[in-house]
Amino acid sequence: MRSLDPNDIRKFKHIIDNNKTFFLTLHTGPDADAAGSMLVVYEYLKSLKKTVYLYSVDSLPENLHILPHYKSIKNSLIKKEFDVAIFFECSTPDRAGININDFKFKRIINIDHHRTAERYGDVNILNFDSPSTAEMIWNIFKHLKIKITKNMAVLLYSGIITDTGKFHYSQTTPETHIIAAELLKYKFNFTKINDNFFLSSTYQSLKLLGRALESLKIKDGIAFMNLTQNDFKEFDASFEHSESIVNYPMMIDEVKVSVFIKEDEKKFTVTFRSKPKINVSNVALAFNGGGHKNASGFKISKEKITYDELKRSILTEIKKEIK
């Protein structure tokens, strides 16, 4: 088990065993790793007859509708008092899009694998070397000898393959492949899951991809693309239709960093991808964002900065990392 503290795992189990009501949430713009990990813990808690409320401030994108239990995730809050809150991939509580001061939690559990994670929980299960939170959940369950169900296997596999980019990203290890092989023993349709995340698309996604590629500019190994709010309106599209666009410039040999900026009425959302030696999580952190070494991002209000100012500031921070 990769650097998880057994004491933290024991505390995790103690809190679960000795409490009844649970609030589970994840970061804004939910992905398969955070959602899958949360839903695995949800199924486990329900098997223990716990009362569980799943919350996401953002609606789940369509490609996550393949996940078991996804309909149990709510986008509205009915109550704000629980025995325990568990945050998945939230470097800080406000990363979940909520104000923690509005809630009453007796205990907080923080589970994350991003280097920007803060230790705000009563229990902080953090592993910055893990390629996914799903892999961490697998290791927690194995340590506690918790039975993995077929649904759990689907959820964990989905988190692992998406957060490793089909085992492509540099944090992938032999252990990651071994865990995936163990999950395949549950005989779910892994081809369907891979197709869902990596081969399926929509009209809106393809039109946005074309528009973004038209905006592509490359200089000194840094690729910039953008989509305006009018682009999204023209194709009746949402941000979820543009999730994978940032990856395309990385196919070009000369590109060291890919920057993708998209806007809505109130903010700019910026995502980064980079070659292994360049740490774009430091770039995101400069703008109060975060993420992985080679995949990160941030959001910033349009009231604070113009597009041109934002682009210049990003370029300055990237050049620091390249040097």
Side-chain angles (χ1 to χ4, degrees), residues 6 36 60 91 127 161 168 197:
L60 265 64
S91 53
N127 184 353
I161 62 167
H168 172 75
F197 289 115

Side-chain angles (χ1 to χ4, degrees), residues 56-74:
S56 173
V57 68
D58 293 329
S59 297
L60 265 64
E62 289 183 15
N63 68 346
L64 297 190
H65 293 183
I66 198 172
L67 300 179
H69 312 305
Y70 87 90
K71 289 184 179 179
S72 298
I73 300 175
K74 308 301 181 186

Side-chain angles (χ1 to χ4, degrees), residues 276-295:
K277 293 183 179 180
I278 300 170
N279 190 343
V280 287
S281 70
N282 288 337
V283 179
L285 190 60
F287 298 91
N288 296 315
H292 304 285
K293 178 182 177 181
N294 304 121

Side-chain angles (χ1 to χ4, degrees), residues 217 219-225 246 250 254-261 270-275 277-287 293-294 296-298 309-323:
K217 299 286 189 298
K219 185 176 181 181
D220 299 326
I222 304 170
F224 273 91
M225 293 185 299
V246 67
M250 299 307 295
E254 69 183 274
V255 172
K256 300 174 183 176
V257 179
S258 172
V259 183
F260 178 36
I261 305 174
V270 183
T271 50
F272 301 109
R273 294 292 185 271
S274 68
K275 296 288 170 63
K277 293 183 179 180
I278 300 170
N279 190 343
V280 287
S281 70
N282 288 337
V283 179
L285 190 60
F287 298 91
K293 178 182 177 181
N294 304 121
S296 61
F298 68 91
E309 290 169 343
L310 177 60
K311 188 174 178 180
R312 285 195 296 270
S313 297
I314 290 170
L315 189 60
T316 298
E317 295 298 328
I318 291 175
K319 287 182 176 179
K320 291 179 185 177
E321 287 301 316
I322 291 178
K323 288 179 182 179

Side-chain angles (χ1 to χ4, degrees), residues 64-216:
L64 297 190
H65 293 183
I66 198 172
L67 300 179
H69 312 305
Y70 87 90
K71 289 184 179 179
S72 298
I73 300 175
K74 308 301 181 186
N75 303 121
S76 59
L77 290 167
I78 298 174
K79 58 178 287 188
K80 296 188 177 182
E81 186 171 349
F82 300 86
D83 293 336
V84 180
I86 307 180
F87 289 81
F88 294 83
E89 291 198 327
C90 296
S91 53
T92 60
D94 59 7
R95 183 82 170 84
I98 62 174
N99 184 346
I100 198 170
N101 295 321
D102 293 338
F103 292 77
K104 290 184 179 179
F105 302 131
K106 295 178 182 177
R107 294 286 186 270
I108 293 176
I109 298 173
N110 167 27
I111 304 175
D112 202 351
H113 70 125
H114 296 97
R115 294 187 180 277
T116 52
E118 297 181 4
R119 302 182 68 86
Y120 58 84
D122 297 287
V123 178
N124 299 283
I125 302 178
L126 308 175
N127 184 353
F128 304 145
D129 294 323
S130 180
S132 66
T133 299
E135 185 169 318
M136 292 172 63
I137 299 296
W138 164 272
N139 283 322
I140 291 169
F141 277 36
K142 283 297 179 182
H143 183 85
L144 295 173
K145 296 181 171 58
I146 296 169
K147 181 182 178 181
I148 301 291
T149 67
K150 185 175 181 179
N151 278 342
M152 290 178 179
V154 169
L155 293 163
L156 293 172
Y157 182 80
S158 298
I160 288 171
I161 62 167
T162 53
D163 245 38
T164 62
K166 294 180 292 186
F167 310 105
H168 172 75
Y169 299 148
S170 59
Q171 280 187 293
T172 305
T173 69
E175 183 183 5
T176 307
H177 288 278
I178 291 168
I179 293 170
E182 288 294 317
L183 293 171
L184 291 180
K185 292 179 181 178
Y186 289 84
K187 299 188 183 302
F188 55 87
N189 190 342
F190 65 89
T191 301
K192 180 180 178 181
I193 293 171
N194 278 279
D195 287 349
N196 174 75
F197 289 115
F198 301 110
L199 291 181
S200 297
S201 191
T202 63
Y203 169 83
Q204 291 97 325
S205 295
L206 292 177
K207 294 297 285 187
L208 287 175
L209 172 61
R211 184 62 55 84
L213 291 176
E214 287 178 359
S215 74
L216 177 62

